[in-house]
Amino acid sequence: MTINGEKHQRRALVLYGSETGNAYDVANELGSITERLHFLTRVSDLDSIDISLLAQYSIILIAISTTGQGDLPANARAFWRSLLRRRLSLDYLQGVEFTTFGLGDSSYPKFNWAARKLHKRLCQLGASEFYSRGEADEQHPEGLDATFLPWSTDLRSHLLVRYPLPNGQLPIPDDVFLPPKWALELIHEPHRAPNYVANQDSVGGFSAADASNGSLGDVLKLSSESKSPKELDLAASDTSIVPGAIRVRLTENTRLTPKTHWQDVRHLTLVTASRADYAPGDTLTISPRNFEEDVDKFLSLMGWTSIADEPVHFQPTVSVNDLRAYPPPPIPHLTPSSTLTLRSLLLAHLDITAIPRRTFFTLITHFTADQMHKERLLEFTNPEYLDELYDYTTRPRRSILEVLQEFQSVRIPWQWIGSVLPILRGRQFSIASGGIQKSFKDGGTKFELLVAIVKYRTVMKKIREGVCTRYIAALPEGSEFDVLLQKGGLHITKGEGKRPVVMIGPGTGVAPMRSLVWERLAWAEERKRLYQEVGHDAPDHGSSGVGENVLFYGCRNREADYFYRNEWQDLENKAGLRVFTAFSRDQKRKIYVQDLVREQADLVFRLLHQQSGIVYICGSSGRMPQAVREALIEVFERGGPMEREAGEQYLLTMEKDGRYKQETW
């Protein structure tokens, strides 16, 4: 590949498979490491790469998360299928050198399964691992960085030994700013990039004098003038088109919990005129928008108010001979004809209320001339101060906007905002509807969601709110917006309807369980019609080919957050549903779903062991999954009777056979 007229032989490809953005962030950090070691680096999602091109790179680095039952993320599945083609020879990837970093959650049985599967398949096709795989655990007290930082530090040292730099060439120091691959420019005034000077007297892309004067020169057009804020259209955004998105209309946004309850939980109904098939466990992704008041604060803080509504577009920062081999722009799915402005980017595409990662502090240290601020920001980037970073950001849930309000000397060049701020990502919600609930008039489709509005207090005075659920709570009925329908990790099929199921879904974890019960009822009705068509009487419920339905539901109070309780009573008659409830705060002794499992040990043992049933666990990814798992092992011990080791082995067998399924968040 030729860039700026020079041909590069030292090439690195950094790939990611990401659902929530964590693997994407890790990939960008890996890309920074290789770039500082003078590798021509490309960062891309796995699905954007043809496996026939892997051999063109000196090294391949892959960051990948695990979803569902050991599955690969949605943007890595096409790549994975291409690796499974039967016609590939066992030496197809011979000469390819790679390493992987897995991001997982140890509360799931198949911890970091995606990274392990990918590693194994690459080796089967002849590729060589040049550096040992790393695996991070979201349950670690210090988060992903607790594993990633030492792993990536050793990786850098390993690369310097295995791929030494030419004589006289040194790695680019960490305190030297790496200009982004893409920069914004004003459409009416093109080719005006920030005055970046890579030397010790510069403050990351502009002179220290400019920064200390509160200006980056004419190009930033800093001004204290303020335009009247535009009215925020919460539901509409025409600057991007996500492939496969479905346009829906919100017909119901009802609070289920009383206003006196500590948590606001909503029942949402969304409809679309098109037909969309979905199964229990599938999800809808809703892309939020930032609120106008927060965007105005950010624009004012950076001094961008005067140019906030000027049309801009992304342009490569270097001259390239083939854009197809160049990294894509930082904002995905932008429409070619979309009119971007700094305001529209901040409203719909960039996350200013996210909790900043360590890399954010690394970047903004280049954009201040205040030495005290710079030293403090650098402390947050030091691996030795992970605890301090956690106490400043994660523990109080301090946002990017709030960090910049504290470090007001920081002035981010607006041209590079797409590479400094994280992408505003959509959030997934498990669909709560199933069976007859899925149909809408004239062949359309209906989706129902159960959404807990994230709102809480920390040591900071201002109430913390989730960016997506805050957006959802403000959506008026009648709003239209795009959603993305995605297959979930439970992999529920009609063939499983013949087996009994034990469903464990406390809180909003009951959403996919509700979908499943209604779907199983529809399967029973379908079977009944088939019997009638051939002239036979349908057997009674319970022997119709659809197994028993048992639900363990837990919440705080019967009167406050016992979701769909009237519906469960109706389904006891229609579907033979048996519901066992745990209301943890309605009595002195706290009762949880795992306690109910132990109380109903004989029933659970009969359904799962004697009748080879399936157990589904949905809800919080904290202590609940492990507590339920422990309760199930005790059930098998007592019911067997069997030794604990045998009980654990039986649970592992259920996982292997696809009869133990977990989807937590």
Side-chain angles (χ1 to χ4, degrees), residues 5 117 126 133 157 181 219 358 401 598:
K117 289 194 297 187
R133 180 178 70 247
S157 300
K181 301 292 190 300
V219 69
R358 180 177 43 80
L401 177 58
R598 292 185 177 93

Side-chain angles (χ1 to χ4, degrees), residues 120-368:
K120 183 177 180 180
R121 184 55 180 163
L122 291 171
C123 291
Q124 286 176 343
L125 294 176
S128 302
E129 184 184 48
F130 74 85
Y131 181 68
S132 297
R133 180 178 70 247
E135 293 186 351
D137 182 4
E138 284 192 9
Q139 297 298 321
H140 194 286
E142 295 178 355
L144 301 174
D145 276 346
T147 305
F148 177 71
L149 285 177
W151 183 85
S152 60
T153 300
D154 290 344
L155 168 67
R156 181 184 182 278
S157 300
H158 184 83
L159 287 172
L160 281 171
V161 173
R162 189 177 181 94
Y163 304 95
L165 294 170
N167 289 334
Q169 190 176 50
L170 297 175
I172 301 172
D174 290 340
D175 59 354
V176 172
F177 180 70
L178 295 175
K181 301 292 190 300
W182 293 82
L184 285 172
E185 65 175 26
L186 293 167
I187 291 177
H188 303 308
E189 300 181 40
H191 312 304
R192 300 185 66 180
N195 182 29
Y196 175 76
V197 182
N199 59 48
Q200 293 180 349
D201 296 324
S202 70
V203 183
F206 54 92
S207 70
D210 281 340
S212 62
N213 292 331
S215 169
L216 304 186
D218 291 340
V219 69
L220 293 186
K221 297 184 177 180
L222 301 187
S223 172
S224 59
E225 298 176 7
S226 176
K227 296 184 179 181
S228 299
K230 298 178 179 178
E231 183 178 353
L232 173 61
D233 181 354
L234 280 170
S237 175
D238 59 359
T239 56
S240 64
I241 297 178
V242 179
I246 302 170
R247 174 63 57 144
V248 297
R249 185 174 79 255
L250 177 66
T251 61
E252 181 184 359
N253 188 351
T254 304
R255 176 166 180 161
L256 298 183
T257 51
K259 290 188 176 181
T260 55
H261 190 57
W262 69 279
Q263 188 173 44
D264 178 359
V265 179
R266 303 294 181 95
H267 178 85
L268 274 62
T269 300
L270 310 168
V271 298
T272 179
S274 59
R275 178 178 175 81
D277 293 325
Y278 63 89
D282 289 353
T283 65
L284 277 188
T285 297
I286 297 178
S287 296
R289 288 166 65 87
N290 288 309
F291 277 60
E292 183 84 17
E293 60 190 83
D294 292 333
V295 171
D296 285 343
K297 289 177 184 177
F298 193 96
L299 290 168
S300 177
L301 195 61
M302 291 295 103
W304 301 343
T305 305
S306 64
I307 59 169
D309 300 301
E310 295 290 330
V312 295
H313 61 178
F314 283 103
Q315 288 293 309
T317 54
V318 296
S319 175
V320 294
N321 64 330
D322 185 2
L323 269 179
R324 292 172 300 178
Y326 195 70
I331 310 296
H333 311 308
L334 290 177
T335 58
S337 59
S338 62
T339 300
L340 293 174
T341 64
L342 292 178
R343 189 184 302 278
S344 69
L345 282 169
L346 291 170
L347 281 172
H349 299 287
L350 297 171
D351 197 344
I352 58 177
T353 61
I355 299 171
R357 286 177 56 87
R358 180 177 43 80
T359 49
F360 174 76
F361 290 98
T362 300
L363 288 170
I364 65 173
T365 56
H366 297 286
F367 306 137
T368 177

